[in-house]
Amino acid sequence: GNSVTQMEGPVTLSEEAFLTINCTYTATGYPSLFWYVQYPGEGLQLLLKATKADDKGSNKGFEATYRKETTSFHLEKGSVQVSDSAVYFCALYMDSNYQLIWGAGTKLIIKP
Amino acid sequence: NAGVTQTPKFQVLKTGQSMTLQCAQDMNHEYMSWYRQDPGMGLRLIHYSVGAGITDQGEVPNGYNVSRSTTEDFPLRLLSAAPSQTSVYFCASREIQGWGETQYFGPGTRLLVL
């Protein structure tokens, strides 16, 4: 079946460090891929998305490239800030059944 | 637009009590869903609805009921609360487009069952 695997957290970095949060997926067909972010005490909100292979989603300095050959959608940011501390969820969408498949989430902690 | 709203924000129940978590959206989205979020388990789908009058079970439906009498509202009912239902509950509505979809989440309801 379809699934999403994220690296386990928490991930702890210093301010201005480079961030990578790994996400790999298993899917039959051609899913759309998403990163959602959940700031402390809030609901989830869409961070970025990519709908086909080699697409790059970007927002707020974060980027992720849809890699079909490696079935990956890793989240990256060149210089993180304390305000980026949050839980990040990778997800895939299959329009065959209108369902979102979620990763378990990765908690990111940025220290000043 | 208010987006997706949820009430209450916090609730404490005793085992066996019943309650309804309210969810409303003003974006005219057909698709709505309820998730629970537990540490280390990400989001798990409880129930979803593809339109008024239509509901279906998700991954973890036991102990919960839903109804969808209008496009705007999608309440979640706990019939007889159990400690295993202690969690954070998120309601979401979904905008489906040709290339995929975007979900809009409410702020969540934190539920503690004693």
Side-chain angles (χ1 to χ4, degrees):
Chain A
N2 301 327
S3 66
V4 175
T5 303
Q6 288 181 238
M7 62 190 297
E8 288 191 22
V11 173
T12 303
L13 296 172
S14 297
E15 208 165 18
E16 299 183 2
F18 184 87
L19 168 71
T20 300
I21 300 179
N22 290 339
C23 171
T24 57
Y25 67 90
T26 302
T28 53
Y30 304 94
S32 296
L33 300 173
F34 302 83
W35 278 101
Y36 280 81
V37 59
Q38 183 182 29
Y39 297 104
E42 298 183 12
L44 283 76
Q45 53 187 279
L46 180 66
L47 179 61
L48 54 84
K49 64 179 184 287
T51 59
K52 60 183 187 298
D54 299 326
D55 267 4
K56 178 186 284 187
S58 61
N59 186 25
K60 299 182 180 180
F62 290 89
E63 292 183 341
T65 301
Y66 188 160
R67 302 284 188 200
K68 188 171 182 295
E69 64 276 13
T70 54
T71 62
S72 65
F73 193 54
H74 305 323
L75 183 67
E76 296 181 336
K77 186 174 185 181
S79 177
V80 292
Q81 306 299 314
V82 172
S83 57
D84 293 326
S85 298
V87 181
Y88 292 81
F89 291 89
C90 185
L92 71 82
Y93 170 77
M94 298 295 297
D95 59 10
S96 56
N97 59 8
Y98 305 110
Q99 296 298 337
L100 263 184
I101 308 297
W102 295 91
T106 302
K107 186 173 184 177
L108 175 65
I109 300 170
I110 306 300
K111 295 186 174 181
Chain B
N1 288 346
V4 180
T5 58
Q6 288 184 239
T7 56
K9 289 187 176 180
F10 304 96
Q11 184 70 48
V12 179
L13 293 178
K14 294 181 180 179
T15 296
Q17 286 185 312
S18 62
M19 78 161 294
T20 299
L21 280 64
Q22 301 292 343
C23 174
Q25 54 95 5
D26 60 358
M27 297 173 282
N28 203 34
H29 291 163
E30 293 293 331
Y31 193 109
M32 297 183 73
S33 52
W34 275 102
Y35 293 92
R36 58 178 290 172
Q37 183 182 30
D38 301 292
M41 302 188 75
L43 292 170
R44 292 185 291 171
L45 183 65
I46 304 172
H47 284 285
Y48 66 97
S49 169
V50 298
I54 306 169
T55 63
D56 207 345
Q57 296 181 350
E59 181 185 358
V60 288
N62 292 341
Y64 307 94
N65 275 357
V66 292
S67 59
R68 186 90 181 274
S69 56
T70 66
T71 298
E72 294 77 21
D73 300 300
F74 191 44
L76 178 72
R77 280 184 289 277
L78 281 70
L79 305 174
S80 178
S84 60
Q85 293 178 305
T86 292
S87 187
V88 181
Y89 292 85
F90 288 99
C91 178
S93 73
R94 180 181 291 185
E95 180 180 33
I96 297 178
Q97 294 141 332
W99 46 260
E101 54 99 285
T102 300
Q103 285 208 111
Y104 298 84
F105 285 84
T109 295
R110 295 181 180 274
L111 177 66
L112 172 63
V113 182
L114 302 174

